[in-house]
Amino acid sequence: MSVWNPENIKDVAESVGITSLSDDVLSALSSDVEYRLSQVLDEAFKFMRHSKRTTLSTHDISNALRILDIEPLYGYESTRPLRFGEASIGPGQPLFYVEDEEVDFEKLINAPLPKVPREISFTAHWLAVEGVQPSIPQNPTTADSRNQELLPKGQGANSTLAAISGNDSVTVKPLVRHILSKELQLYFEKVCSALLDESNDEYRVAALASLRSDPGLHQLVPYFVQFVAEKVTHNLKSLFVLTQMLQLTSAMLDNDSLHVDPYVASIVPPVLTCLVSPRLGSSSNRLEPYPLRALAASLLGFITQKYAKSSHTLKPRLARTCLKHFLDPNKPFAVHYGAILGLQAVGGREAVRVLVLPNLKDYGKLLQEAIEGNGPAKADAEMAVGAVLGVLERLEEAKGAKMTNGYAVDEQENSRLVEKVGELLAARILGLGRPHLVQAVLGD
């Protein structure tokens, strides 16, 4: 049984042209109206309580309607409490209305006129004369200067609140919800210094081993994530620092007692930077950064395997990023190398078959031009060829056991292979002497 009178529903329906409503419909609408009103009132009471008031105002109702995505009422905003009067328009039909304030015209006419506002004007005065501030009303006095010194300073200081409270110092509450103990702070500093100490291998191994097994480091996870991001951003020329940051990330991911899921979105960018950044390291040896890219690809595959279920968009986004760098001919071959390994690590054999293999014919032409040109990019192109052959081996693994001895690739398969991956990559694949790999690439 609804508290709301069904007759009110019937009156509203008749006012909009609906004359025939059954009793069941009226009862259902009454219950719904009662539920909606209680919902609005509950939200309005929340606004009232949070405003430290005991009287419900029209502002609370308007805010509640806005929160519930309902068009607010217009014309009822008022700074004073509304007084409702009651009038009867028939037997049992009361009408409530807002009483208007009665204004006495005699008092209004005899009341003194308000002061005329002053016109806007500009004046000039001396702030200081030869370093000395003159004592005039426009300049602050010595007492004002002393009061200004008592105001809180620094980030988060609110001079208005300080003035209201009598210019007393205000203690700003830190934004961090938890305070690290001195032991954790010392542990964080020791681990960071150990990882960046290039002369003490034993110290670094012990720090990484502690990160992999210690169960009480959950409060330090955001600090380690921020530390990795900062070091990777500012040390792209130091392969040692980049390698240690990847080792630190791997150690955190290996620790099953740490809840790293909320920080995966912050962990992935430094790993991608080490994977597909155009310039890594400052050495003249172009092949030196490649182990770092391989380590980043392996770590990216581990992240995808461990957190793909909790983050459904993680795997597609990583594959899309790697594919974008792989298909960009303006990127250096070192970036292509990392992108190819990243695609294989993120998507496995299916990514190699769907994303890498269809683009190898055009990519083979790009590699062939660089290798035949004997320029500085030849070594990088050879590394990219090795990455392509390495990921194609995953297709061979899917075929199962090796084929019987004595099988040779015929001319038809040879021409199909050249049509599939280009002359350079076809020659390299045939040079391995593995017919099973040829059939895996051809999809036979």
Side-chain angles (χ1 to χ4, degrees):
M1 181 66 182
S2 174
V3 178
W4 192 263
N5 189 0
E7 293 297 328
N8 294 336
I9 306 294
K10 189 175 182 180
D11 294 340
V12 173
E14 290 177 353
S15 66
V16 295
I18 302 175
T19 57
S20 60
L21 281 179
S22 63
D23 295 339
D24 295 337
V25 174
L26 290 176
S27 177
L29 289 175
S30 300
S31 301
D32 187 68
V33 169
E34 181 182 353
Y35 167 73
R36 299 299 177 184
L37 286 177
S38 63
Q39 188 180 19
V40 172
L41 289 176
D42 287 341
E43 297 294 334
F45 280 125
K46 291 179 183 178
F47 282 102
M48 181 192 73
R49 286 192 294 267
H50 284 290
S51 301
K52 307 299 182 183
R53 290 184 282 101
T54 57
T55 303
L56 191 67
S57 66
T58 56
H59 293 282
D60 299 327
I61 300 295
S62 298
N63 291 332
L65 294 174
R66 189 177 295 109
I67 287 294
L68 297 174
D69 198 19
I70 302 174
E71 185 178 3
L73 300 176
Y74 301 102
Y76 288 94
E77 297 290 339
S78 176
T79 57
R80 60 182 179 84
L82 298 179
R83 293 182 300 175
F84 291 91
E86 181 179 354
S88 179
I89 59 175
Q93 295 184 355
L95 176 65
F96 295 93
Y97 62 94
V98 179
E99 293 183 353
D100 294 328
E101 182 180 0
E102 295 182 359
V103 178
D104 190 347
F105 281 102
E106 185 176 354
K107 291 182 179 180
L108 182 63
I109 294 173
N110 296 329
L113 296 175
K115 294 182 179 181
V116 179
R118 296 180 179 180
E119 294 183 0
I120 299 176
S121 61
F122 299 93
T123 59
H125 68 276
W126 290 98
L127 288 175
V129 179
E130 295 183 355
V132 179
Q133 178 179 284
S135 299
I136 57 177
Q138 288 82 0
N139 289 335
T141 62
T142 307
D144 295 334
S145 300
R146 285 199 299 266
N147 293 336
Q148 191 70 23
E149 293 177 357
L150 297 177
L151 293 177
K153 299 176 178 62
Q155 294 182 351
N158 191 323
S159 58
T160 304
L161 295 178
I164 295 175
S165 60
N167 294 340
D168 294 330
S169 297
V170 176
T171 303
V172 181
K173 186 177 180 180
L175 296 178
V176 182
R177 293 183 179 274
H178 61 271
I179 304 300
L180 291 178
S181 63
K182 292 183 178 180
E183 292 79 6
L184 284 177
Q185 295 179 25
L186 182 62
Y187 178 88
F188 178 76
E189 295 174 359
K190 292 293 184 182
V191 169
C192 293
S193 61
L195 293 176
L196 299 178
D197 188 1
E198 198 169 353
S199 60
N200 195 337
D201 295 340
E202 185 179 357
Y203 200 15
R204 295 199 306 273
V205 172
L208 293 173
S210 176
L211 281 173
R212 286 189 174 92
S213 58
D214 199 323
L217 304 178
H218 55 279
Q219 286 187 333
L220 290 177
V221 172
Y223 297 94
F224 279 125
V225 172
Q226 183 180 7
F227 176 73
V228 170
E230 291 178 355
K231 291 301 177 183
V232 170
T233 303
H234 298 97
N235 295 275
L236 291 178
K237 293 184 178 181
S238 175
L239 295 179
F240 171 76
V241 175
L242 295 178
T243 303
Q244 295 308 309
M245 293 304 101
L246 292 182
Q247 295 285 0
L248 171 58
T249 304
S250 177
M252 285 194 300
L253 296 176
D254 289 338
N255 194 334
D256 295 332
S257 62
L258 299 181
H259 185 56
V260 191
D261 295 60
Y263 306 99
V264 172
S266 301
I267 291 175
V268 168
V271 180
L272 281 176
T273 300
C274 296
L275 181 68
V276 294
S277 179
R279 294 185 178 272
L280 292 177
S282 58
S283 175
S284 58
N285 186 2
R286 303 176 67 94
L287 302 182
E288 193 174 3
Y290 283 94
L292 176 68
R293 297 182 188 274
L295 176 61
S298 175
L299 184 57
L300 198 66
F302 179 74
I303 293 174
T304 306
Q305 182 181 2
K306 189 172 183 179
Y307 300 103
K309 293 183 179 179
S310 58
S311 178
H312 300 292
T313 60
L314 177 64
K315 188 173 180 179
R317 286 190 289 113
L318 293 178
R320 193 181 304 114
T321 302
C322 293
L323 182 63
K324 177 182 176 182
H325 286 81
F326 171 56
L327 296 180
D328 190 350
N330 298 321
K331 298 288 185 182
F333 289 109
V335 175
H336 296 161
Y337 174 89
I340 293 170
L341 295 184
L343 282 172
Q344 185 269 327
V346 171
R349 287 190 293 267
E350 190 65 19
V352 175
R353 185 181 63 83
V354 176
L355 302 179
V356 177
L357 191 56
N359 299 295
L360 287 184
K361 184 177 181 180
D362 295 333
Y363 186 60
K365 297 177 182 178
L366 191 66
L367 291 173
Q368 188 170 1
E369 293 177 1
I371 293 176
E372 293 177 353
N374 291 324
K378 180 178 179 179
D380 294 328
E382 290 289 353
M383 293 298 299
V385 171
V388 171
L389 296 178
V391 299
L392 290 180
E393 291 179 356
R394 297 298 301 270
L395 300 178
E396 182 184 14
E397 295 173 5
K399 287 291 183 181
K402 298 286 185 181
M403 297 187 69
T404 58
N405 295 330
Y407 175 81
V409 179
D410 56 22
E411 290 297 329
Q412 183 179 1
E413 289 182 335
N414 190 357
S415 61
R416 288 176 58 199
L417 186 62
V418 172
E419 182 67 23
K420 186 84 171 179
V421 299
E423 295 181 1
L424 175 65
L425 293 177
R428 296 296 180 91
I429 294 173
L430 293 174
L432 297 177
R434 293 157 66 175
H436 195 59
L437 177 60
V438 175
Q439 286 206 342
V441 173
L442 296 176
D444 296 339

